[in-house]
Amino acid sequence: MAIEHVTLDREARPVGQVLRIKPGQENLEIQYTGLNWSRPAQVTFKYQMMGLDRDWVEAGTRRAAYYSHLPPGNYTFRVVADNGDGVWNMEGRSLQVTVLPPFYRTWWFATLLLVVVAGFVGLAWQVRVARLQRVHTAQLAFSRQLIASQENERKRIASELHDSLGQHLLVIKNRAALGERATHDHRAAREQFDEIAASASQAISEVREIAYNLRPVNLDRLGLTAVIDEMIEKVSSVSGIEFSTDLVPLDRVFTPDSEINIYRIIQESVSNIVKHSQATKANVELWRADGDLHILVRDNGRGFNSGPVMDKTGSPVARGLGLTGIAERVRMLGGMHSVASTPGYGTTLTIQVPLPSPAGAGEA
């Protein structure tokens, strides 16, 4: 018997050589024949593509084998014939077939891909490390600013207690001593007592101011919304900036700790407008939407470049404790914030804070 013809995608290929199938070549046809001059029609065949077929394929009298989409690899095609009397010629004929893999399944491409992936992983790791270093640097800068701010606040409170409250108490003490000596002069004693009352009233006012700066007393009495509105009205009256407000009721929506954070965020935002914006108008809006509290603070002031500020090493530089403190409080509340500003066109601060579940609202 013999293998007569080999065609690959209907193109004849040499029979006596190793058949190489390139990527994209799909349809293989192998024609064979058996020699039996007396009864050629009774010759039957079976074939096997070793490495692909698990067993012999009974072809009967068909004299062709068909394969398509052979996987990459090395194969041996074998065909044997029966002479019609049940005697098989097991020596048969064979053909070596090599199916070449596409480039993306070759070892060199896998190696190249591994190198590229490793490069990307290394680059991503370096970017992440650099980002963590920048965040760490920013946190250290914020911590230093926070410590300095706390020290300055302690100095300010100590100075206020010494210079104002201490002086008033000293006046009260001296006036009381003078009044005690003027027991026979009722008019002089009355003047001393009036001075004592005036100094005491002024001392009480200043103590209230100091306490308000530490924590607004009315926050627990009147609620968050009223205290925010009161604070903005007070700032508007003394700053010359026309503030407008649109505040959704927020009383007992948040926990006390969250309430003071929200109050400080708005207070610091308003304070930044007064200190830096040179604005004539500003507005503060609070509303609820999609399970979040939205805060908007906007002014028509001089604005600034809101892009990140970097030092010579490429590390972020904090703009000041105001915006940094706002960002830290928003982070503590699990929210997000953004600052949009352009020189000459004012500044807009937007904040989004998740509302607590009803079960946890207003709990201490």
Side-chain angles (χ1 to χ4, degrees):
M1 65 173 304
I3 295 177
E4 291 185 312
H5 301 287
V6 176
T7 58
L8 184 60
D9 289 339
R10 298 184 179 181
E11 180 181 343
R13 306 302 297 271
V15 175
Q17 302 177 5
V18 176
L19 178 63
R20 295 183 179 275
I21 301 178
K22 298 178 181 179
Q25 296 177 326
E26 300 176 351
N27 299 308
L28 172 64
E29 179 181 350
I30 303 174
Q31 297 180 5
Y32 45 81
T33 186
L35 302 178
N36 188 327
W37 303 109
S38 60
R39 292 178 297 175
Q42 296 183 10
V43 177
T44 58
F45 303 89
K46 59 182 179 181
Y47 60 83
Q48 182 182 22
M49 183 70 77
M50 300 180 67
L52 179 68
D53 297 328
R54 294 184 177 181
D55 205 348
W56 291 95
V57 178
E58 300 290 344
T61 58
R62 178 164 53 85
R63 298 172 182 254
Y66 304 95
Y67 291 94
S68 62
H69 302 92
L70 286 173
N74 296 314
Y75 305 95
T76 300
F77 175 80
R78 291 191 61 205
V79 58
V80 296
D82 174 8
N83 62 5
D85 296 325
V87 179
W88 288 91
N89 176 9
M90 295 306 296
E91 181 179 355
R93 291 291 181 268
S94 63
L95 173 68
Q96 299 297 320
V97 179
T98 298
V99 181
L100 301 176
F103 75 93
Y104 53 84
R105 297 181 64 178
T106 58
W107 67 268
W108 60 265
F109 181 80
T111 303
L112 178 62
L113 184 62
L114 182 62
V115 171
V116 171
V117 170
F120 274 113
V121 170
L123 179 61
W125 175 257
Q126 290 179 351
V127 170
R128 175 172 172 77
V129 169
R131 179 178 175 275
L132 291 176
Q133 288 177 342
R134 289 195 297 270
V135 171
H136 181 64
T137 301
Q139 289 176 340
L140 288 178
F142 173 75
S143 298
R144 286 193 291 267
Q145 282 189 308
L146 186 59
I147 292 172
S149 175
Q150 290 173 341
E151 289 300 320
N152 291 334
E153 184 68 9
R154 291 190 182 101
K155 291 178 182 178
R156 183 188 66 80
I157 294 174
S159 177
E160 288 183 358
L161 291 175
H162 179 271
D163 296 340
S164 59
L165 185 59
Q167 292 298 322
H168 290 306
L169 292 176
L170 182 60
V171 168
I172 291 172
K173 176 185 175 182
N174 293 335
R175 293 291 183 180
L178 292 174
E180 185 179 9
R181 294 172 190 167
T183 54
H184 301 293
D185 188 346
H186 296 291
R187 182 176 179 181
R190 182 57 181 261
E191 289 178 358
Q192 300 303 325
F193 291 144
D194 289 342
E195 290 292 336
I196 290 173
S199 295
S201 297
Q202 194 167 356
I204 291 171
S205 297
E206 292 182 1
V207 167
R208 286 176 176 171
E209 184 70 21
I210 294 172
Y212 183 85
N213 290 331
L214 295 176
R215 176 180 172 86
V217 178
N218 288 337
L219 185 59
D220 299 321
R221 297 176 182 173
L222 304 179
L224 179 59
T225 307
V227 170
I228 292 174
D229 199 36
E230 179 185 58
M231 179 267 295
I232 294 174
E233 285 184 6
K234 182 178 179 181
V235 171
S236 181
S237 64
V238 299
S239 66
I241 300 174
E242 181 183 343
F243 278 87
S244 61
T245 58
D246 184 5
L247 311 179
V248 67
L250 292 175
D251 300 340
R252 299 193 61 79
V253 173
F254 292 91
T255 63
D257 288 341
S258 297
E259 282 188 340
I260 193 64
N261 275 325
I262 292 172
Y263 175 82
R264 293 302 185 200
I265 287 170
I266 298 174
Q267 183 186 44
E268 191 62 47
S269 302
V270 171
S271 176
N272 285 340
I273 293 175
V274 174
K275 292 178 182 177
H276 309 297
S277 72
Q278 299 179 5
T280 58
K281 293 183 179 181
N283 70 298
V284 179
E285 299 178 17
L286 277 69
W287 72 94
R288 302 189 205 185
D290 301 325
D292 293 328
L293 170 65
H294 296 260
I295 303 172
L296 183 144
V297 182
R298 179 167 47 203
D299 66 71
N300 67 346
R302 62 180 180 175
F304 61 93
N305 182 7
S306 59
V309 179
M310 301 293 181
D311 61 15
K312 294 181 180 179
T313 65
S315 300
V317 177
R319 292 184 177 276
L321 192 62
L323 287 177
T324 307
I326 290 172
E328 184 64 17
R329 290 185 187 275
V330 171
R331 186 191 65 80
M332 291 170 60
L333 292 169
M336 302 179 295
H337 82 290
S338 65
V339 179
S341 185
T342 303
Y345 292 93
T347 302
T348 300
L349 170 66
T350 56
I351 297 170
Q352 187 173 336
V353 175
L355 290 167
S357 60
E363 294 180 359

